[in-house]
Amino acid sequence: MYKKAEDQIGKQGRITILVIIAVFIFAVYIFRLFSMQIINGEIYKTQSKNISSQVKTIPAQRGEIYDRNANLPLVINTESFAVEMTPGEIPKDRYDNVTARLAQLLGIKKNDIDEKVPKSVRRSYKSYVIKTNVPFTTISNIAENITDLPGVSWYSKPTRNYVETGSLSHIIGYVGDISDDEVTLMYNQGYNKNSIVGKAGIEKQYDSLLQGVPGRESKTVDVRGRILNDTPVIEEPQMGKNLVLTIDTRIQTLAEQALGERVGSVVVLKPYTGEVLAMVSFPYFDSNIFNSDEGRREYAKLLQNDTKPFLNRAVQTAYPPASTFKVVMSTAMIAEDAFPTDKKIDCTGRIFYGGRTFHCHVHSGHGKLDLKNGLAQSCNVYYWTIGRDFLQIDKIGQYARLFGFGQSAQIDLPNQSSGFVPTPEWKERRYHERWLGGDTMSVSIGQSYLEATPLQLADMVAMVSNKGKIYKPHLLKEVRDPVTNEVISEVEPEVLFENDIPESVWDEVQQAMRYTCTDGTPQYVMKNKRVQIACKTGTAEVAQYKDSWHSWMVAYAPYDAPPEDRIAIATIVEARNKWEWWAPYCTNIVIQGIFADQTFDEAVDELGFNYLPAVRGRQE
């Protein structure tokens, strides 16, 4: 009995001991938790801040750009490197020697490094980019001397290589470091202060497609940036989308050679789709100049050039359209039934109005002309009379806008001019003068305040070819996956301007443009055995250039083909060039080369233009 009682007491004692131990352990945990969170909370918080993840962005390669056949790269990525320096890894007593040696290898001044890594951060373990676009040979030299260059490292940073330069520079554009203003504007779109962005042309217009997605390299570091774990976590970058343009490089080269070294522009497009086959603006520049310090110095010089080589004259410069505007005037006259097309106006070489004498370009006069011959001979007296007495400015302005004048052509390029269509109200506001009949006469022949870009005049011709439609001009044809080359999206034709002018009106305008080519002022220059052409010339007076004029030619061909098989072209040679009436010659050479599948030299030979001093001089 006593033994049973003793056993019971012993059992209770053991339970009590176990309870005491459990309570003690629990109390220790509570105390430890209290100590960590309350007593030593700030200490651990500081330690957690001292060990963090260092994330470095891995640049993504930009998408490549191709011509319309998708087999000729216009822009590719070339392997280059960025050199960076971690100042905290350089012994204090060796800092000046290391930076001096690095500057020597990079071909820069030591002060350049000192500016990028000021004294205030020289004990930091953060990496600072010293130079980008460094070639592999320089990296090899650095690698050979790496024992003398503690804290120096490099990484791959591809640069843009513009394979096809010349006149494509205005279309493709170029890239550069993002500006502070651009960072502010585009930060929410994933851009940062280290981003490379498109600055002009397609590179700028489609930057979001070309950019790609940067990768990330994460390393564990302490508060000073020292690496605690040598194995990084890497998220691979994704290359940007590849772009296929509408540009046909064969036609682009042909148009470039046909224009020659003349300040001006050539635009060739497909009227039925709006695809731009060629767009030349001279002078041009080499987009690769932005890849080197020497090139950037060249850029600064080009900015001072009075011919403005960075200006895309095809879309950014508006000129008086001169007599090419008579195509619009003819359409308005027929559509409005303002004056019988077969009724004649007598051109004596001059017309008197408002106390002034207005002279036709043929001072002896053209004689009596109907519409067809008025357009073919580009008679100013005929169109002065039609504009002033039968259409008047409001109706002229209405039809100009129907053709897209004074409105953006909405091509996929940044910074384009809309041209200008004047109105009496505008003149009153701008000059505090009322509109006069003489103003209407000037606009009627494409002079005075009226302005249009070469692209707008190509669109004007496209509307005639399409009998009332202008398709939105575009340079992007397709977007493709950079890995699989599969087509992600295609640009479909989109109507930009359309009107309900009767088809019979367009038939008559087309016939008049064809007659202009065969029997009008450009008939000898525009002879072509390969293809039938419909066209209109123009010569615009420019006050600052004595005895010289802007030379215009607009055309479409083949005249006898369906609209889907035609091309439209607009050419301007500025008055600053030596006067040689080159626009018609240039246009015929381009058309000949396109439809006969010939080079510039072959087209010149077949057209018989070798006798021209301008052609002979270029070939020599």
Side-chain angles (χ1 to χ4, degrees), residues 510-540:
Q510 289 183 355
Q511 291 164 15
M513 287 184 68
R514 172 61 181 157
Y515 183 76
T516 298
C517 201
T518 59
D519 292 78
T521 53
Q523 59 179 299
Y524 299 108
V525 176
M526 296 303 292
K527 283 184 182 296
N528 194 305
K529 297 177 182 178
R530 295 273 187 156
V531 60
Q532 294 185 23
I533 305 170
C535 69
K536 183 68 190 82
T537 56
T539 49

Side-chain angles (χ1 to χ4, degrees), residues 105-363:
L105 290 169
L106 291 176
I108 60 176
K109 296 178 181 178
K110 183 179 180 299
N111 288 343
D112 295 336
I113 298 178
D114 293 338
E115 289 178 4
K116 294 181 178 181
V117 188
K119 288 184 177 181
S120 59
V121 300
R122 288 183 184 173
R123 303 320 306 157
S124 168
Y125 284 83
K126 177 183 175 182
S127 295
Y128 293 85
V129 176
I130 304 302
K131 188 176 181 181
T132 58
N133 299 331
V134 179
F136 179 74
T137 52
T138 301
I139 296 299
S140 296
N141 291 335
I142 293 174
E144 290 173 1
N145 294 271
I146 198 64
T147 55
D148 298 327
L149 299 169
V152 175
S153 60
W154 58 86
Y155 61 90
S156 174
K157 188 176 183 181
T159 59
R160 291 304 246 179
N161 180 2
Y162 298 94
V163 182
E164 297 292 329
T165 55
S167 62
L168 284 168
S169 60
H170 291 111
I171 298 170
I172 295 172
Y174 54 91
V175 297
D177 295 328
I178 194 168
S179 67
D180 292 339
D181 290 341
E182 288 170 329
V183 172
T184 302
L185 186 65
M186 301 187 293
Y187 183 78
N188 291 332
Q189 301 172 37
Y191 294 83
N192 58 57
K193 64 180 182 179
N194 296 318
S195 294
I196 299 296
V197 297
K199 296 291 186 177
I202 292 294
E203 291 275 31
K204 180 176 181 179
Q205 184 75 20
Y206 292 110
D207 189 77
S208 59
L209 289 173
L210 292 164
Q211 270 290 330
V213 180
R216 290 158 56 93
E217 180 183 80
S218 302
K219 295 179 180 179
T220 304
V221 297
D222 65 14
V223 69
R224 297 185 65 188
R226 289 177 292 199
I227 298 172
L228 301 179
N229 187 345
D230 291 334
T231 305
V233 177
I234 295 178
E235 296 178 23
E236 294 291 340
Q238 299 174 30
M239 184 176 175
K241 302 295 187 295
N242 288 346
L243 305 185
V244 178
L245 304 185
T246 61
I247 293 295
D248 186 316
T249 49
R250 185 183 76 85
I251 299 176
Q252 181 78 16
T253 300
L254 178 66
E256 179 181 315
Q257 292 176 329
L259 180 63
E261 296 182 355
R262 300 172 180 86
V263 178
S265 178
V266 182
V267 177
V268 183
L269 55 79
K270 296 182 72 172
Y272 208 65
T273 63
E275 293 175 276
V276 178
L277 300 176
M279 179 181 286
V280 175
S281 177
F282 185 86
Y284 32 79
F285 60 95
D286 184 349
S287 297
N288 290 305
I289 64 175
F290 300 95
N291 290 339
S292 66
D293 293 336
E294 182 180 349
R296 283 185 280 272
R297 287 190 288 272
E298 177 65 18
Y299 166 71
K301 292 179 182 178
L302 291 175
L303 284 176
Q304 306 303 317
N305 192 315
D306 66 351
T307 61
K308 300 180 179 179
F310 293 103
L311 183 68
N312 186 349
R313 287 168 161 80
V315 297
Q316 293 178 327
T317 304
Y319 307 86
S323 292
T324 63
F325 188 69
K326 291 170 183 174
V327 172
V328 177
M329 291 290 294
S330 300
T331 306
M333 189 190 98
I334 301 168
E336 293 295 318
D337 197 20
F339 189 81
T341 58
D342 58 351
K343 188 175 181 179
K344 296 181 178 180
I345 293 174
D346 188 14
C347 171
T348 61
R350 63 188 63 82
I351 191 171
F352 302 98
Y353 182 78
R356 290 180 55 195
T357 301
F358 294 79
H359 291 279
C360 191
H361 65 90
V362 176
H363 285 200

